[in-house]
């Protein structure tokens, strides 16, 4: 019998992660983005990473449409930003400070780092789609990460 979804969520929540906001854009340049922790480094040569995006997310179609996305790694004082981008749809970018990166997706201000990608492959992942991104540009600043563990936001040392 398959595991109950709430139990799966509970168990997976024991794996502590950082928190990202993955941004993408529509063909006409409208920014989209969602909070995500299903993100991992895949390969150094070529430089590849993956993210897993819910097919029901409003941002979902724009990954394929634009073929670009950017992973924004959140800092420990960006819980509010994480919560904002974890709500589906709406004017998420209103009042949020960001610039447009070389790939046309948003790079949010105040993050620990950003990784700009070109979509290089997509793989089926049940109710999600796995997007493999080839890294084009990336950068970091000093700071501490926002963490997610057992369904709650944490900081290092909590
Ligand atoms: C800590 C955290 C991690 C999340 N990780 C993911 C993820 O990896 N992939 C995903 O599709 N949704 C993830 N979500 C849920 C999305 O952020 C949420 O469904 C969001 O509303 C989607 O926005 P959109 O519909 O405007 O695109 C996560 C939410 C939180 C709070």
């Amino acid at each position: 019998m398959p595991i109950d979804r709430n139990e799966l969520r509970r168990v997976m929540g024991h794996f502590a992660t950082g928190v990202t906001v993955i941004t993408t854009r529509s063909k006409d340049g409208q920014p989209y983005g969602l909070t995500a922790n299903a993100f991992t480094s895949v390969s150094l040569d070529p430089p590849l990473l993956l993210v897993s995006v819910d097919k029901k997310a409003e941002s979902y179609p724009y990954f394929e449409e634009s073929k670009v996305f950017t992973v924004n790694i959140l800092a420990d004082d960006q819980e509010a930003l994480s919560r904002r981008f974890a709500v589906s749809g709406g004017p998420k970018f209103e009042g949020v400070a960001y610039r447009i990166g070389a790939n046309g997706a948003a790079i949010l201000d105040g993050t620990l780092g950003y990784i700009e990608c070109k979509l290089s492959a997509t793989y089926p992942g049940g109710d999600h789609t796995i997007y493999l991104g080839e890294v084009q540009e990336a950068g970091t600043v000093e700071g501490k990460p926002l963490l997610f563990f057992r369904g709650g936001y944490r900081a290092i040392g909590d």
Side-chain angles (χ1 to χ4, degrees):
M1 209 171 69
I3 187 167
D4 170 77
R5 62 180 284 152
N6 290 328
E7 177 63 0
L8 177 59
R9 196 192 288 259
R10 189 188 70 77
V11 172
M12 293 302 284
H14 284 64
F15 185 60
T17 67
V19 183
T20 75
V21 170
I22 304 169
T23 54
T24 185
R25 62 171 162 85
S26 64
K27 252 194 303 219
D28 61 5
Q30 216 34 47
Y32 288 87
L34 76 163
T35 298
N37 62 355
F39 155 64
T40 193
S41 163
V42 172
S43 162
L44 292 177
D45 186 16
L48 299 173
L49 58 77
L50 68 78
V51 297
S52 177
V53 179
D54 193 327
K55 292 179 183 172
K56 291 193 293 294
E58 186 171 292
S59 317
Y60 174 76
Y62 301 105
F63 286 77
E64 290 271 13
E65 184 172 305
S66 67
K67 307 230 178 311
V68 297
F69 63 90
T70 293
V71 180
N72 294 270
I73 303 168
L74 298 193
D76 62 354
D77 61 354
Q78 292 185 307
E79 180 178 330
L81 200 63
S82 175
R83 289 184 184 278
R84 170 189 280 247
F85 279 89
V87 174
S88 190
K92 288 182 175 181
F93 286 83
E94 231 172 71
V96 171
Y98 67 93
R99 65 191 162 91
I100 296 297
N103 68 358
I107 299 174
L108 306 181
D109 284 9
T111 65
L112 281 192
Y114 68 94
I115 311 167
E116 291 190 63
C117 297
K118 189 173 79 181
L119 184 63
S120 103
T122 66
Y123 301 98
D127 56 8
H128 284 52
T129 292
I130 298 159
Y131 291 121
L132 193 69
E134 183 172 339
V135 178
Q136 308 288 290
E137 295 198 25
T140 60
V141 298
E142 285 301 307
K144 290 193 178 144
L146 182 63
L147 303 179
F148 199 72
F149 176 58
R150 287 172 56 178
Y153 292 97
R154 323 274 169 174
I156 284 177
D158 277 8

